[in-house]
Amino acid sequence: MTRDLRPHPDTRPAASAPWRPTRQRTAVLNALHGRTGFTSAQELHEALEADGVTIGLTTVYRTLHALDRSGRVDVVRDRTGERLYRHRPTDGHRHYIVCRACGLSAAVEAEAVERWADEVAETMGFAEVEHTVELSGVCDPCRTEHRRTAAEPPPPRSGRGDRRADS
Amino acid sequence: MTRDLRPHPDTRPAASAPWRPTRQRTAVLNALHGRTGFTSAQELHEALEADGVTIGLTTVYRTLHALDRSGRVDVVRDRTGERLYRHRPTDGHRHYIVCRACGLSAAVEAEAVERWADEVAETMGFAEVEHTVELSGVCDPCRTEHRRTAAEPPPPRSGRGDRRADS
DNA sequence: TACGGGGTGAAAATGATTACCATGTGCTAC
DNA sequence: GTAGCACATGGTAATCATTTTCACCCCGTA
């Protein structure tokens, strides 16, 4: 029926466990810093293996989870529901707009939304409110390119997260 | 790797096809109107079968898809990524806040977010911008109940979407 | 050296969603 | 009413990201 939502026992103990910077964890972290856009766990795993890093997919997922919990990465979901990760460039909660065609991601100012979420929570009498805001669209370059190559969809430029328009 | 994002050929033709109100489609629609909260396709299917309606899971998914495309239902994703559907009470794009404990859902005023999204789209040079806003929390009743029954998590009151605090 | 607590990862399991495809059903023209 | 056709249906088999399992490794410490 519904997937069990309780934190699964596999990752839960880490809540209080010390963070040991193992070879694999460091590799994941580095890989995340290397890429500037959003990346899926699977992509990350492939990239690591391609770079000669021996690491299990399980470990990638586990590490990404841990990073998420400790707020060191941002997570979005693409339209298929797949989770995409990205190292959090600065502190604090960030939101992004992602190009559906090329994966370009750009941080956006979301103060307004944060305030709105808090407000809603209060007026509705909800506690422990979490919010997810996902913005997607087609960036300018992709749009113009698309106009040129009428028929085919714009070729994904260089993987999902290899470009950026941050800062 | 990444799931194929193209609209799959199985449902695509319906884009221009007429909407035939078949027994199954009517049943799905009725079931959606009967429930006031968000419901997963699987839950809906179970409920229908329980009500004596013979219908394939495939058809439920297909119908929900069609309703989504035509804007007759709202869709959110729970934290596992599962899609939850709900009939759209009025016209226009609506946003909700959903209780993680009991499934209670309430429509919230989201003008602010809409405006913000449009603004962001424009300043970032993105077109065809879509936004997803998901708010979840713990509603007041669940909170008090939880305080009383210390240990166990608050018992899901009556299925994911059987309560509401709309209007 | 034995022990113990993370960590790791291959393989199997899970579970929502889709694809396939043979069959059904309701119009419409004749 | 019946043939033809386009849309619909639904069982079953994939897909596919993510989890779980569990045996094993690594490393600091007693």
Side-chain angles (χ1 to χ4, degrees):
Chain A
M1 203 154 318
T2 306
R3 250 181 249 177
D4 193 343
L5 300 183
R6 284 170 302 181
H8 61 205
D10 201 10
T11 54
R12 189 182 38 200
S16 59
W19 171 273
R20 286 196 201 158
T22 63
R23 178 178 61 79
Q24 292 87 338
R25 288 179 178 179
T26 307
V28 168
L29 230 22
N30 283 341
L32 271 178
H33 279 267
R35 328 192 117 219
T36 50
F38 281 94
T39 316
S40 71
Q42 315 245 3
E43 274 178 341
L44 213 50
H45 179 240
E46 270 182 49
L48 285 165
E49 296 265 85
D51 276 3
V53 179
T54 313
I55 185 173
L57 184 54
T58 308
T59 302
V60 174
Y61 272 109
R62 227 171 348 218
T63 304
L64 253 13
H65 250 168
L67 291 173
D68 178 22
R69 274 201 313 271
S70 65
R72 299 216 263 163
V73 296
D74 286 313
V75 188
V76 301
R77 307 190 86 115
D78 67 14
R79 43 178 54 188
T80 71
E82 188 179 7
R83 275 190 272 267
L84 305 179
Y85 299 85
R86 159 181 186 147
H87 78 97
R88 180 174 297 175
T90 72
D91 285 316
H93 187 156
R94 301 291 295 269
H95 292 293
Y96 303 85
I97 184 166
V98 181
C99 173
R100 284 194 294 273
C102 69
L104 168 77
S105 73
V108 299
E109 188 46 60
E111 278 260 7
V113 178
E114 305 284 345
R115 270 202 309 279
W116 169 80
D118 290 345
E119 223 167 87
V120 166
E122 188 163 357
T123 62
M124 307 296 281
F126 276 66
E128 297 170 49
V129 171
E130 294 171 11
H131 64 278
T132 307
V133 177
E134 264 141 43
L135 285 175
S136 70
V138 181
C139 70
D140 199 49
C142 283
R143 208 150 7 110
T144 51
E145 182 161 340
H146 189 219
R147 266 202 287 275
R148 284 218 316 279
T149 57
E152 318 97 279
R157 231 181 293 283
S158 52
R160 181 142 45 201
D162 290 324
R163 297 179 58 239
R164 81 155 139 187
D166 252 355
S167 58
Chain B
M1 196 121 6
T2 306
R3 248 179 255 177
D4 192 342
L5 300 184
R6 285 169 303 182
H8 61 209
D10 200 9
T11 53
R12 190 182 37 201
S16 58
W19 170 274
R20 284 197 201 158
T22 64
R23 179 179 60 79
Q24 292 88 338
R25 289 179 176 180
T26 307
V28 169
L29 231 20
N30 284 341
L32 271 178
H33 279 266
R35 328 192 117 219
T36 49
F38 281 94
T39 315
S40 71
Q42 315 243 3
E43 274 178 341
L44 212 52
H45 180 239
E46 269 182 47
L48 285 166
E49 295 264 85
D51 277 3
V53 179
T54 311
I55 186 173
L57 184 54
T58 309
T59 303
V60 174
Y61 272 108
R62 227 171 348 218
T63 304
L64 254 14
H65 250 165
L67 291 173
D68 178 22
R69 274 200 313 271
S70 64
R72 298 216 263 164
V73 295
D74 286 314
V75 188
V76 301
R77 306 190 88 114
D78 67 15
R79 43 179 52 188
T80 71
E82 187 178 7
R83 276 191 271 266
L84 305 179
Y85 300 84
R86 160 182 185 146
H87 78 98
R88 180 174 297 176
T90 71
D91 284 317
H93 188 154
R94 300 293 293 270
H95 293 294
Y96 304 85
I97 183 166
V98 180
C99 174
R100 284 194 295 273
C102 70
L104 167 79
S105 73
V108 300
E109 187 44 61
E111 279 260 7
V113 179
E114 305 283 345
R115 270 200 310 278
W116 170 80
D118 290 345
E119 226 168 85
V120 166
E122 188 162 356
T123 62
M124 307 296 283
F126 275 67
E128 296 171 49
V129 170
E130 293 172 10
H131 64 279
T132 307
V133 177
E134 262 141 44
L135 285 175
S136 69
V138 181
C139 69
D140 199 51
C142 283
R143 207 150 7 111
T144 51
E145 183 161 339
H146 190 221
R147 266 201 286 275
R148 284 217 316 280
T149 58
E152 318 97 281
R157 233 182 293 282
S158 51
R160 182 144 42 200
D162 290 325
R163 297 179 58 240
R164 80 156 140 188
D166 254 354
S167 59

